[in-house]
Amino acid sequence: MRLLIGILMFVAGMPAVVLAQSAGLITGIVKDKKTQQSVIGAIVTVEGTTLGAATDTNGSFRIADVPSNSYNVKVQALGYENYIIYNLVVSSGNAQIVNVELDNDAGVSLKEVVVRRNPFSKNAETPLSLQTLSGQEIKSNPGGNFDVSRVIQAFPGVGGTAGSVGGFRNDLIIRGGAPNENVYYLDGIEVPVINHFATQGSAGGPTGIINTTFIEDVNLYTSAFPAKYDNPLSGVLQLKQRRANPEHVQQNIRLSATELAYSADGPLVKDRLTFLASARRSYLQLLFGVLQLPIRPSYWDFQYKLDYKINKKLSLYTLAVGAIDKFTFGTPKDLSAENVYILQSNPLIDQWSYTNGYGLKGLMNKGYWNLTFSRNMLNNQLNKYTDNQNPSPATSTLKIRSTEAENKFRFDMNKSYDKWSYSLGAMTQYDRFTNDIYSLIRTEVRDSNNNVVQPAVTIAGNTDIGFWKYGLHGQIAGKLLNNRLNLSLGIRTDGNTFTDDGNNLLRTLSPRLAASYNLSENLKLNASAGRYFKIPTYTILGFKDNSGNFVNRNARYTQCDHLVAGLEFMPGWQGARFTLEGFYKLYNYYPVSVTDSISLANKGGDFGVLGNEAIMATGNGKSYGVEFQFQQKLTKNFFTILSVTIYNSEFTNANGAYVPASWDNGQLISFIGGYKFKRNWELGVKFRYQGGAPYTPYDMQASQNNYLALGTGLLDYSQFNTLRLQAFHAMDVRIDKKWNFKKWSFDLYLDLANAYASAQPATPNFTFKRTADNTGFATTDGNTLKADGSNGIPLLLNDNSGRVIPTLGFIIEL
């Protein structure tokens, strides 16, 4: 830490190296949002300068020799609402490539076009419960580590999993829902796995896969989902990549304490074909070895996109995202109780995943259509032994060899007529799931007379299933009452060929209604209602009992009804917004475990697999609360986001009684602020507060009997979620300093996660006490620990210590 501060002080004392030639380029395309046609003659100006340009017949513009700095860029066109790009960082390294989509407003005069400024404008389909971040806001987020999933936890209603707050997982808990209730899209292609070391059947992991260098903006829907998206119950995360540099190849190199990333983009065929490509390699395993930590995580990820312009009305693109993950163990010098627990409780992971998609986009009169094909696959191999450092088949407690593959076709058509627009679409996909599993749930325990007092419980078998999914959707939206009222009505239905009632499309009929009314020039009343469905995970559908029967084939789609209403106020100053929303979510047909009688809504926030068990689709749930947010886009060198959420989340277990969900934190507070100083210095601060999450105590006797075989304790589900962790709070700080040279730039940053070393409450872990010299387990009789743990000394590890996590890194743009 002292070394990092010393480096920063040295940098602060250096003179600014900004050459007279250090200027950058802004280029991009302006389109009509509804028709995707080029907007000709749009005026693009760089605020605070005299620089600007007009779009040509292709909707393209180019502004050269822009002095290196941060700017707001304004776009105006007759008949369209004004558009402002905030916090566009121009450097002498990479060009700024932007894609602008303007909202057509037939009733707007030229005078109104000039003065109307709403950086938070939404579609009529989703007038509320939609948050947006730019690529620059993601890159400069303190503690975000260039990771989309971590950054959006600053939004209202979005939190992390219990016991890892501010820690090492990216599980997204949105308005009290489970981590697997969200779906993820990259440029219109669904990407089911967006994290390294992903939890199969859920979605979270310790770090994200998507390269933020290419991200133009991110939209997070927390309700009022557009009808074209299938399977969301809590959230839709939509990521949009920027266009490649159309003039020349540019490069980006990022090095930090944990990873090395390289990316490049540019033209392959002038005016026709461009590319984006990146690769990233972690070296956490080397760092953890030096620090004598027992885990050795290692990962690669890759990403590319090709854009091909066939003609003025037809374009083709292809993209891919892939990851390779390995999680192994080393032998630390100190075999303390904490290190031994880590070694015994976690599985060895060998995982890879990819998504590869192709999209064809065509323009037509007053509209456009999209046709996409994609394939994604997850290969997940987990192994666990009573001694993970000396594995052998005889000591195996977990062995999983599983694959999930999806082949998807999607088509949608979008048309607009004056004040009305509609969309229609369909999708079909063929899915295949294979699973070969052996899992020891409880070990056999015998008494002193060799009588079995606890029989062994195992899950073993293999599955290979293939089936079709399909869906239809439609949506219509329009403006009424002299444009004061926006209305949207959508409907969707989905089916499949595997579950018993999968072809009953009436059971998954999913209507949705949204409305927005302008109470005054600056104040809107927004509301929505909708019913949404999610098919059970492959691990649930493919599970077999010991007789080889698919016992979950009668599982229904999980249903969630949303009711949301709120106010949106735009004050008189530029780039600011206040929102207040209340939400109510009601769940039906949620899977409940037959083995432990617990709703699966409370699972999926750890490493491993969710859903390899028999279930009953009898669970219910409810989550309700209120959210407040203030957001100020970059104005006078300052930007900020403040969000406050108060909520309650409950689900029923097998007994039908409502109990607090594992994600029921109660309160979420987040603040992000940033200031841009002179000489290319920037300071960012993030503060987070999350109320204490419920947790379940251990069954001490069962834990003692099973610990040596399982490496973990067993929970007492008769006291499910009766205890709570302490609340969590932390502050992250980031300082950036950029130097711009003639044709390249250098950005040095220092990121301090948990800057004031706040305690991080975590659920306790069951283990046995170690001997004083840490060479073995201590026992009550001084003898070797028995297999049933009866002479062990139980110990609950409570590691609530707070640690500052500093990261020093740099970014080179060429």
Side-chain angles (χ1 to χ4, degrees), residues 524-581:
K524 287 183 179 181
L525 173 65
N526 303 312
S528 70
R531 171 166 290 179
Y532 309 103
F533 289 92
K534 180 183 185 302
I535 192 171
T537 62
Y538 296 112
T539 50
I540 291 175
L541 297 178
F543 180 76
K544 293 180 180 179
D545 62 16
N546 293 333
S547 300
N549 301 312
F550 290 105
V551 296
N552 297 328
R553 203 159 191 165
N554 62 344
R556 293 186 58 169
Y557 283 70
T558 304
Q559 175 184 313
C560 188
D561 297 337
H562 289 208
L563 291 174
V564 187
L567 296 169
E568 180 181 24
F569 175 66
M570 308 284 293
W573 64 88
Q574 177 179 324
R577 177 183 69 161
F578 294 87
T579 61
L580 181 68
E581 290 186 14

Side-chain angles (χ1 to χ4, degrees), residues 15-46:
V17 186
V18 181
L19 305 183
Q21 301 91 340
S22 62
L25 171 68
I26 303 175
T27 183
I29 292 179
V30 180
K31 297 179 180 180
D32 184 298
K33 190 172 185 177
K34 291 182 178 178
T35 67
Q36 295 295 292
Q37 300 279 355
S38 299
V39 176
I40 303 172
I43 305 300
V44 184
T45 56
V46 182

Side-chain angles (χ1 to χ4, degrees), residues 106-177:
V108 174
S109 67
L110 180 59
K111 180 180 179 181
E112 289 173 314
V113 168
V114 174
V115 301
R116 292 182 66 177
R117 299 183 177 188
N118 183 4
F120 309 101
S121 60
K122 302 180 178 69
N123 295 323
E125 294 88 346
T126 310
L128 76 176
S129 301
L130 172 60
Q131 307 291 336
T132 301
L133 278 180
S134 68
Q136 182 58 38
E137 289 171 317
I138 294 170
K139 295 172 190 174
S140 60
N141 187 275
N145 197 29
F146 303 93
D147 196 322
V148 173
S149 296
R150 289 178 183 264
V151 174
I152 65 174
Q153 291 185 23
F155 285 151
V158 184
T161 47
S164 65
V165 180
F168 58 90
R169 285 189 63 87
N170 280 350
D171 306 284
L172 292 180
I173 308 302
I174 298 178
R175 290 181 170 175

Side-chain angles (χ1 to χ4, degrees), residues 115-426:
V115 301
R116 292 182 66 177
R117 299 183 177 188
N118 183 4
F120 309 101
S121 60
K122 302 180 178 69
N123 295 323
E125 294 88 346
T126 310
L128 76 176
S129 301
L130 172 60
Q131 307 291 336
T132 301
L133 278 180
S134 68
Q136 182 58 38
E137 289 171 317
I138 294 170
K139 295 172 190 174
S140 60
N141 187 275
N145 197 29
F146 303 93
D147 196 322
V148 173
S149 296
R150 289 178 183 264
V151 174
I152 65 174
Q153 291 185 23
F155 285 151
V158 184
T161 47
S164 65
V165 180
F168 58 90
R169 285 189 63 87
N170 280 350
D171 306 284
L172 292 180
I173 308 302
I174 298 178
R175 290 181 170 175
N180 68 341
E181 296 180 13
N182 314 310
V183 295
Y184 309 93
Y185 284 80
L186 179 66
D187 290 342
I189 302 295
E190 186 176 6
V191 183
V193 180
I194 66 166
N195 286 299
H196 291 283
F197 306 103
T199 301
Q200 189 175 7
S202 189
T207 188
I209 293 173
I210 305 298
N211 184 351
T212 57
T213 301
F214 296 145
I215 296 299
E216 183 169 85
D217 58 55
V218 172
N219 291 322
L220 176 66
Y221 300 82
T222 55
S223 192
F225 308 129
K228 64 181 178 180
Y229 297 118
D230 60 303
N231 265 349
L233 297 181
S234 287
V236 176
L237 184 62
Q238 180 190 78
L239 302 102
K240 180 181 177 182
Q241 295 184 102
R242 63 170 174 81
R243 296 171 57 246
N245 190 323
E247 300 182 11
H248 62 83
V249 174
Q250 60 185 23
Q251 302 170 78
N252 183 292
I253 302 169
R254 186 177 79 242
L255 178 68
S256 72
T258 60
E259 62 189 26
L260 173 65
Y262 171 80
S263 60
D265 64 277
L268 293 175
V269 178
K270 187 177 181 181
D271 298 327
R272 304 281 280 186
L273 179 64
T274 60
F275 79 96
L276 305 167
S278 71
R280 179 172 57 161
R281 174 73 163 103
S282 79
Y283 44 87
L284 280 172
Q285 72 279 15
L286 303 178
L287 178 63
F288 287 1
V290 172
L291 297 176
Q292 283 296 301
L293 298 176
I295 58 175
R296 300 290 187 271
S298 172
Y299 60 81
W300 284 87
D301 58 54
F302 311 90
Q303 190 171 324
Y304 84 83
K305 184 180 181 182
L306 297 175
D307 278 294
Y308 179 62
K309 185 178 180 180
I310 300 173
N311 55 50
K312 285 190 174 183
K313 292 191 174 183
L314 192 63
S315 59
L316 173 70
Y317 70 89
T318 177
L319 61 81
V321 179
I324 302 172
D325 308 325
K326 292 185 181 296
F327 188 94
T328 57
F329 298 100
T331 303
K333 293 180 180 178
D334 180 16
L335 287 174
S336 63
E338 290 79 6
N339 283 339
V340 170
Y341 178 82
I342 293 172
L343 291 170
Q344 294 191 344
S345 62
N346 292 292
L348 298 156
I349 303 174
D350 190 350
Q351 184 180 104
W352 56 260
S353 65
Y354 71 84
T355 297
N356 183 207
Y358 300 83
L360 191 64
K361 184 174 187 175
L363 305 184
M364 56 186 177
N365 184 35
K366 296 185 178 181
Y368 63 96
W369 54 266
N370 293 300
L371 175 65
T372 62
F373 164 74
S374 65
R375 175 178 169 84
N376 54 264
M377 186 171 182
L378 168 69
N379 184 294
N380 191 31
Q381 299 185 26
L382 303 180
N383 289 287
K384 190 177 175 186
Y385 305 89
T386 55
D387 183 356
N388 275 331
Q389 294 174 290
N390 298 288
S392 70
T395 61
S396 174
T397 61
L398 176 68
K399 181 180 179 181
I400 292 178
R401 302 291 183 269
S402 185
T403 64
E404 297 179 3
E406 298 176 327
N407 305 278
K408 305 173 182 178
F409 289 90
R410 298 178 186 268
F411 176 81
D412 64 81
M413 180 183 67
N414 305 268
K415 297 275 286 185
S416 63
Y417 295 94
D418 193 19
K419 298 180 181 181
W420 291 88
S421 62
Y422 73 88
S423 63
L424 299 170

